[in-house]
Amino acid sequence: MSSAGGSMVADGLFDLDEGAPRLIGTRCTSCGTLYFPQAPSCRNPQCREKAIERAILPTHGALLSYTVQRYRPPPLFRIDDWQPYAIGLVGLGDEVEVMGMLSGFALDAIAIGTRVRLVAQPLYRDAERGPVLTYAFAPEAAA
Ligand SMILES: [Zn+2]
């Protein structure tokens, strides 16, 4: 684990490879189905072996759907400097669909089909752990 400026909001969702975030999922070695977040077993009813292994997800994809959160969430969901934000459903590598916050979008100009890439961004600052990071999706063109 690198110390590229923060800890993760939750264990097992993603890690940082020299500062670049990577989502961690599960792939069934029998039928090839990819799951995120990590699944304890393959959920494909046609699959016989259900043999799963840890898998790194693709980092680029396309925005499939989104919603804008305009109300402050309950305190359990902690975020500093709260302002309305968008949550998107992203198809990564045509294999798996992942929900995540959108970063770097104008909330009134989000377009389905936009190519996005995975980024890590600070969610809040913890007194003991320092910046706590989450993953998000940013427009690919803004790289
Ligand atoms: Zn399977």
Side-chain angles (χ1 to χ4, degrees):
M1 180 70 65
S2 73
S3 59
S7 54
M8 311 305 172
V9 66
D11 286 336
L13 289 179
F14 69 105
D15 66 8
L16 294 174
D17 180 27
E18 296 181 354
R22 307 183 304 176
L23 293 178
I24 302 164
T26 303
R27 183 186 295 282
C28 178
T29 58
S30 177
C31 70
T33 304
L34 189 57
Y35 296 97
F36 180 83
Q38 296 185 64
S41 173
C42 180
R43 295 192 292 267
N44 178 358
Q46 266 90 50
C47 179
R48 294 176 180 279
E49 301 279 332
K50 300 188 187 298
I52 55 168
E53 65 179 12
R54 188 174 180 273
I56 300 298
L57 272 58
T59 55
H60 290 65
L63 185 62
L64 302 176
S65 181
Y66 71 94
T67 182
V68 176
Q69 306 287 321
R70 296 191 186 277
Y71 299 95
R72 193 179 179 98
L76 275 179
F77 184 85
R78 183 173 170 190
I79 182 170
D80 286 347
D81 303 324
W82 190 86
Q83 52 188 320
Y85 65 95
I87 297 268
L89 179 67
V90 170
L92 289 175
D94 297 324
E95 276 198 289
V96 62
E97 296 180 357
V98 175
M99 297 266 293
M101 292 176 72
L102 299 183
S103 173
F105 281 86
L107 292 187
D108 56 358
I110 301 174
I112 302 296
T114 301
R115 299 291 305 173
V116 297
R117 67 194 169 86
L118 189 70
V119 299
Q121 66 178 19
L123 196 57
Y124 58 85
R125 173 169 284 279
D126 184 273
E128 291 178 3
R129 295 195 291 161
V132 176
L133 301 176
T134 189
Y135 68 88
F137 295 103
E140 208 170 62

